[in-house]
Amino acid sequence: MFGADAAHVNFQFENQTQQGKTKTPDPLDYLFPKFIRTSPWLHTGYNGSTECLEDFIMIAEFSEQEGPRPVIIIPKDGGQNFNQNDFAVKILAVDHQSSIVEGFESTEDAQVVMNDPETDSNAFIHHIVLNDIQARGYVRPFCISYVTTDPLKIMKCYEEISSQMKKVARLMKFGNRLVFMRDLEKFQEDLSYTKAHLLISQSRTQNSPQGDNDLLNALNTLRQSMEEVKDILSNLKPLLQLDADLSERFQSYEREVKGHRHQHDTDSDSSSLKDFDTKDDHFAEKELSGSCTDRTSPIFSLFSKCRNQKPKVLDVSTIRGKRRFDRSLRGLHELCSWGAKEGLQKLRAFREFLKRDVSSIYVDELDLSSLVPDCGVLCFGSNTVGANFLSTFDSVKGHSCSRRKTPYYTEDHCGLNSLGSVESFKSLTSSFHSFFDDDTMYSAQSSMAETTNSAIPFHRNMSIGSENHEDSDIIDTAYDQEFIFQHDNSEEVNNEFSNTVESMSESVSNSLVNTLTNLSNVETKPAADSNIVDEIEHPIENHFLDEYYDVDIDKDLVCSAKGCKCHSKNDKSECTQSCCNGPKGTAAKEKKDETVNAENNKNVEKCINDPEKVLDKTCDNISGLNGPESDLLSSELEKNPKSKIADNLTVITKNDNQNVKDDMSTKTIENRKDEDQVNNRKESLTSREDLLLSGSPYKQSVNDSKDFMFSNKSLDSGFDLTSRHGNSVLTESQSSFGMSYSGITSNISNVSHRRSWFSHSSKFLFDGESTLGQSLQKVLSSYNNMQHVVYSLLSGRPVVVIGTRKHENSLREILQALSVFVPYTPKDGSVSLLCQVKQMKMVDIHKFQLRGLIRSDRKSVDYLLPKTCRRYLTLVDLEKQQICCQPYQGMLLNFLLSIHSKKKTFKSDTGMYSYIQLCLEEISSKVFSFYHGMTSSDIGMNIHGSSVLHKSVMLEASSEKYLGEVGVRNSDCKIIKYLSEVVKIQQIDEEFKSKYLTDAPAYPFSVNYQALQTFKL
Amino acid sequence: MAGSFKNSLETGVIQVNMDGIPGDAGPVLTPSSPSSKYSKSYIPHLDETNSPFLGVVLSFWDNILGPRTRHVWRINQKNVLKSDLLSHITSQVLSCEICRDPYTCDIDYKFYNLPHKGVVVPGYVFSAKGTHDLAVHTLYVVLPSEELKYYLEVHETLDCCFRRLIGKLRVMLERNSFETSIEVFTKSLSECIRVLSLVHTSSLANNITISDTAFSPHHVLEKDFLAHCISSHLMTFCRSLVIGETAERINLVLYTLSMFNNQSERRCSTSFCVKDPQPYHHDFFLQGLIKVDNKSFYPMTEIVVSRYPTTIIDLTSRDVKQTQGYSEHVLRRYETIKNELICLQYGHFEELVVVEQDLHTSTAYPDTLVQTFVKEMYDLPESCNVRGAFIIQFMRMLHKRAQCLIECVKAESNDGTIPMKSPLLKKIRNDLQLHAEGDFRIVLATAEKLKPGLFCFVKNHKGKHDRDQSKNIEIL
């Protein structure tokens, strides 16, 4: 403290000399506040420069050797204009461990918020204490701090930040305790070994009084140490048992690592399917040797004792008192093992979520709160909530971010305890809901839409024209990551497991997320998120693949039975049903889910048992299909400049190594193979190839599973099966090679669609330099007459965008932009992009809302879309630059016109995107009025008894009248009516689900023919 | 007590005095030191049972003893703050302030969540006169951990209150002896603590449903008047003072307006209670006052020192007025607070009286947003849920608009580096269809709450006049 005073005086002195130069300060100056004009964006950074400081996370420790020091900064280049050392000193100046306790006690965490007007920064700091057997007092104080310049963010999002930090702390502490316990146990063994050694050696040598004394001292020290260790262990063990779920999770990681090692040792010959494995094998080996294999030769395990490790004799003098301070302390990764990886990953994702503007966080939150009840929600595209027609007022969550409605969980799960104890262990059982929870996910997603390289490992219900299980598959692909270790720039490279995993996983999540957002087929009902999340997470458990990527541990922990990756036909219906079931998931349903899950497990196992067979089959298919066209395609491929694609790769992975990308693809394939994990290294190359191939338009397709009738005889389901191996390229007849689903050969289909999913997504990624907003901006400004197309979408008329391969990029862009306007319906596959060869049939029309078609040069538009179909479709022909549609005459969509005609110009794409969302909300608001105006009117009552037809005519008339009164005319009427119909259908659906536990009867579909007009695009 | 202690300090003899430690201090493991000695007082006229606070503590960095508790205002008699807890918190809050410049006028905010102590502690760090010289002080509030949620809701209001209070305390400590200062300060503090305790139990945050509002068919409120109230309310950052003759009418309007506030804003709002009428307190969102003698007297000082402008709704005369726009309000607020401190410095402990200024009538800014909203609202079926949903929809759209505005201003001004000129602003307003001045003000107010500084950035093109004004303030 006296030293502190010196510092104080020194500071004062400096300060005075500084001030003396300018003017003599009025001693009473401090009494009166200064007038500060807050600037909305500019902040005075470190050393007085005004700069926009992006939010960052800093992990700092109080090192017993150096004092406070920053350890890890997320992102790597974060906080450059910020004096990190000063900050570390400030936040770690006080010891947060609870004062005086006897014996070993696990310290509770503390959370601190502070603001610093000098640097204009606000920080949230979570203090944790880790245990380290090498450290003084066995403790290593760390803190995780979130630093932002936004004055509101921290307090507005306090609960969210707090719960996230607690989760991270929980992961780290659990990992740390495991490590600590292993260390202690080893230490204990060493101690007893030393004791025995001492006794034996003493008995052998000559006795002398001096020697006796030494021995006595040594034994005393040993005894004390042993007692201490015993005491700590007895305190520690119950703590570890508290968190069984987490321990399971870490165990699965460990198994995975072992599996990899093992597999690498033995399975190298099982890759007969590849003929280009050598290079990759080498590559893999190199990587592995840097990490897994290089570790302490007996596999280090957190859970089981190392068998081969022999206890060693300790130098008694160093046990007590004579500590060595010359060696460096262990890093965070060494201290926490898996916990550090997962924790850091979570932090990265969380930062992406929170770094956004408070306004968008807040607006997202409002959107989320209006998603309940979900059957009254009118949604557009991926993340526009038009309106909720049935809000219960109570569900409004006004203020804080974290207290979101988590409709899928009962109160005890969604944990109001987030505000409870900060002690991550104490609160973990109840308070753990992450921001990846259904709702928060949603907001994360919308952030995605705004930021290109956001890394929120977040996925939403992107029912891309296929059953939900497919979603889970893709996500799996991204989740299931293996451990590839490379250098991260974080400071501990010396640890056993390198940090790469995080960076890799970040990139995976990055790309995944980007993909998801960029996918044109984002037709979503956000309220269903948690379903999907469940679904997604489950497979992971089922397959006990290590998802490095943390889905959401807590969810895993809480709810353990929903959905499955591998749906067999038998349980499919049941599954979908359980998935579709809204938030009212009752206990009964959960039970059912469990049974479903069990079934699924069986299926999975079945599939696992004969992966080879499956692969063989796939190959057969391919060889059977390889026709003359294969040449054509391969030539196509060559034309495709690979370098360009490689460029793309770097674009996407931005900060990350390109290897990471490759790893991701490796992952895909690995997952494909699930447990059998044959020779992943070789596969990595395959998938790389895939990525390259994906440059070819033919490689890309999103399924609409039912769409593909094609010559695959092996599958009676009539679905296309596609899978490419090695250099085999797809024939044109395989055009639909996208997702396929087959109940019988579920594994095959998993394999194939997962992979195509992946390549599909990566392709989207490649295009995805443009965000949703950017593509909107581009499309709306560069194409004429888009209002007619949007009108079609909003009035339920299917839209087909067709073009040849040349137009692929613009086609994607249009799809991405238009997907914003697609109202959510319970239909599957409403947005898709595919390469189609066969004719479209009338039955297909109702299956989609927006579809992109890439046609081959040999098939004409007229062939693909026969006249009969075309009447009921809106056709956007990129080649002829034509739109064939019903003309739009009205007011509601005028905003599109004014954007096109540059009456409105938005400098930023996010601004434009939010404006379009706003316009959609305005339309929804009109629909809201119409819907309630109509449902409340008593026309229905008056005509009771008359024929159905008559009734409908009457209702029609009254709705026209209503709309006329409100001032809605022409085409706008159709939009309003259709959108209210959409909500009505959801409610009917909901009714069926809640009452009869079945899906609603067939989705009503009406086609109406109206004279078409052709517009220039 | 503090005086005698001071003497002992001056003689340089540290007396270990056990008297300073409360008997129920529990297991004090360290021997009692002078640093654990502090004066205590109570907050008068406070319903302790309903107060979420445990106490308010003033501590400072003693040049010899380090972090030291100076004074404690006890609030909860049952759960007395123990000295070891206090010394723990004090050292936590003050320890990292060693290098703080004592001559700065900044008041830093800190917040501690200490679960092992079972408390959450919002605190403010500032410089004030210590026992001898300027010292870093901190004034912190201790709440039990369970009240964290409540605290987060009242955070903004408490922040405003405490910053004002601390300003006063600093001046008092500078001019007067410690005891006098504390005595005077207790009055201001107790007022603030009392209101904040009140909203813990009875605020508009609980149990207000749409059936209590004017949107329910059971209540009648003129549509046009209601629209005026709502639009002005939204323009003034959801802050309104309702003045009327009967409590029912006042409350009806308060309840109705509260529908447009978020949860924490409702928490910081009080309904009007006939039995226990509350004086107007600054920085609360919705408050009601009964009209006395048919004369319009507004608590102008309190209104002006509030963070945001206020709408004053007079139910008898059907007047909807609002204080100056936000950019002027900010200056005026600063001016008033500073004047208040200057008065205090010259020994006037009384409230500073601010003369009533011209208030705008809400019709000065016609709007379309709320007008349309109210019209559509009354077209809807009278079911409360539907109307509730419609309000939510309206507020969502309003926030979306605000978000658009923020995005646009950000993009057009290149992250705030290009000053917002009229044509640019016109373009933005045109893009977002905010042609009506009222609409623009409503959206701007909503945006300002999410992006502090935006309002002044956008609405500051009066330029010269403003600068002159701030210059005057500097001279003052």
Side-chain angles (χ1 to χ4, degrees), chain A residues 765-942:
Chain A
L765 260 180
F766 295 154
D767 289 345
E769 293 133 32
S770 61
T771 59
L772 210 50
Q774 282 163 347
S775 55
L776 259 175
Q777 202 161 21
K778 216 165 162 186
V779 168
L780 289 183
S781 53
S782 51
Y783 296 103
N784 295 312
N785 292 316
M786 284 315 268
Q787 75 274 18
H788 303 295
V789 183
V790 173
Y791 165 59
S792 297
L793 288 173
L794 291 180
S795 58
R797 188 183 165 89
V799 173
V800 172
V801 187
I802 196 163
T804 58
R805 251 170 287 154
K806 275 182 287 180
H807 305 106
E808 193 190 343
N809 282 339
S810 42
L811 204 146
R812 277 173 204 286
E813 231 158 43
I814 293 181
L815 279 195
Q816 194 181 17
L818 286 180
S819 67
V820 171
F821 299 99
V822 178
Y824 173 82
T825 57
K827 277 196 292 183
D828 281 330
S830 34
V831 184
S832 57
L833 167 66
L834 41 96
C835 311
Q836 194 171 359
V837 275
K838 67 179 179 53
Q839 247 183 358
M840 184 174 277
K841 302 204 172 54
M842 280 300 278
V843 282
D844 299 331
I845 288 178
H846 79 278
K847 287 177 187 158
F848 65 92
Q849 284 172 287
L850 172 62
R851 172 176 291 182
L853 283 183
I854 299 172
R855 92 186 155 79
S856 86
D857 295 330
R858 301 186 307 159
K859 300 272 169 31
S860 69
V861 180
D862 292 328
Y863 168 75
L864 285 174
L865 299 170
K867 276 235 160 69
T868 42
C869 291
R870 259 201 256 181
R871 282 181 188 175
Y872 305 106
L873 293 173
T874 290
L875 181 67
V876 181
D877 193 331
L878 289 177
E879 211 172 5
K880 291 187 194 153
Q881 295 279 306
Q882 270 181 0
I883 303 172
C884 183
C885 62
Q886 289 175 6
Y888 172 72
Q889 289 162 329
M891 305 292 288
L892 287 182
L893 298 181
N894 276 353
F895 66 94
L896 292 172
L897 273 174
S898 46
I899 288 173
H900 178 72
S901 62
K902 305 258 188 294
K903 271 184 202 155
K904 292 182 198 300
T905 47
F906 292 92
K907 261 197 175 171
S908 72
D909 54 312
T910 44
M912 147 102 78
Y913 183 50
S914 353
Y915 179 68
I916 283 172
Q917 283 186 317
L918 174 68
C919 293
L920 286 172
E921 280 178 27
E922 271 173 359
I923 294 175
S924 313
S925 200
K926 292 218 161 58
V927 180
F928 183 104
S929 302
F930 171 74
Y931 180 87
H932 287 296
M934 285 309 294
T935 47
S936 68
S937 64
D938 7 278
I939 307 144
M941 306 302 144
N942 297 340

Side-chain angles (χ1 to χ4, degrees), chain A residues 6-143:
Chain A
H8 188 168
V9 168
N10 190 24
F11 182 82
Q12 259 179 279
F13 177 73
E14 269 175 27
N15 212 41
Q16 274 166 357
T17 48
Q18 266 176 12
Q19 281 182 343
K21 276 172 205 163
T22 50
K23 61 169 186 180
T24 43
D26 183 348
L28 295 182
D29 250 1
Y30 78 96
L31 288 177
F32 303 106
K34 274 186 235 135
F35 185 76
I36 304 154
R37 223 174 244 293
T38 44
S39 155
W41 291 282
L42 292 178
H43 294 276
T44 7
Y46 169 54
N47 59 33
S49 60
T50 50
E51 276 185 65
C52 286
L53 181 66
E54 216 186 21
D55 297 2
F56 65 94
I57 291 176
M58 178 170 122
I59 300 180
E61 74 158 327
F62 193 100
S63 158
E64 61 187 55
Q65 292 161 358
E66 305 169 40
R69 67 181 190 105
V71 178
I72 296 173
I73 309 286
I74 302 170
K76 289 158 189 168
D77 55 346
Q80 303 251 312
N81 302 313
F82 187 79
N83 194 338
Q84 296 170 2
N85 283 317
D86 275 6
F87 182 69
V89 171
K90 192 169 179 182
I91 59 179
L92 283 162
V94 203
D95 190 5
H96 280 270
Q97 303 166 56
S98 44
S99 43
I100 304 131
V101 210
E102 307 217 356
F104 175 83
E105 196 218 28
S106 66
T107 316
E108 274 209 68
D109 306 357
Q111 292 179 333
V112 181
V113 174
M114 52 172 76
N115 85 331
D116 185 0
E118 252 174 62
T119 53
D120 213 352
S121 61
N122 301 272
F124 183 103
I125 303 132
H126 187 103
H127 290 269
I128 54 173
V129 174
L130 299 179
N131 296 115
D132 182 358
I133 198 157
Q134 295 166 4
R136 187 170 54 188
Y138 299 140
V139 287
R140 299 279 303 274
F142 275 85
C143 73

Side-chain angles (χ1 to χ4, degrees), chain B residues 5-153:
Chain B
F5 179 61
K6 196 175 165 185
N7 291 337
S8 74
L9 270 185
E10 274 159 2
T11 55
V13 180
I14 296 172
Q15 299 170 343
V16 179
N17 187 350
M18 292 301 287
D19 299 345
I21 302 156
D24 51 354
V28 179
L29 294 162
T30 42
S32 155
S33 66
S35 59
S36 47
K37 196 170 166 178
Y38 47 82
S39 53
K40 296 172 281 268
S41 67
Y42 303 101
I43 300 237
H45 319 301
L46 187 66
D47 179 11
E48 282 168 21
T49 44
N50 283 332
S51 180
F53 302 100
L54 294 176
V56 182
V57 182
L58 177 71
S59 46
F60 74 120
W61 184 282
D62 189 299
N63 267 349
I64 295 167
L65 296 165
R68 220 189 102 187
T69 306
R70 207 171 180 194
H71 188 87
V72 178
W73 288 269
R74 285 183 180 171
I75 293 173
N76 195 324
Q77 296 300 324
K78 280 179 212 145
N79 194 354
V80 177
L81 294 169
K82 296 181 180 123
S83 57
D84 61 328
L85 172 69
L86 290 181
S87 61
H88 179 80
I89 300 172
T90 300
S91 64
Q92 295 271 311
V93 180
L94 282 174
S95 286
C96 47
E97 302 296 337
I98 300 170
C99 295
R100 196 187 149 93
D101 170 20
Y103 292 99
T104 175
C105 63
D106 292 331
I107 300 173
D108 298 358
Y109 172 73
K110 282 187 163 190
F111 178 75
Y112 287 79
N113 185 352
L114 307 168
H116 51 284
K117 303 280 181 195
V119 292
V120 291
V121 184
Y124 293 86
V125 181
F126 56 95
S127 300
K129 194 161 173 269
T131 44
H132 292 99
D133 197 1
L134 271 192
V136 179
H137 277 66
T138 170
L139 184 71
Y140 60 85
V141 188
V142 185
L143 294 106
S145 287
E146 309 84 63
E147 298 295 347
L148 176 57
K149 189 173 171 294
Y150 158 80
Y151 171 70
L152 290 174
E153 283 178 348

Side-chain angles (χ1 to χ4, degrees), chain A residues 378-392:
Chain A
L378 177 59
C379 292
F380 297 94
S382 51
N383 44 30
T384 311
V385 183
N388 193 337
F389 291 15
L390 301 171
S391 285
T392 47

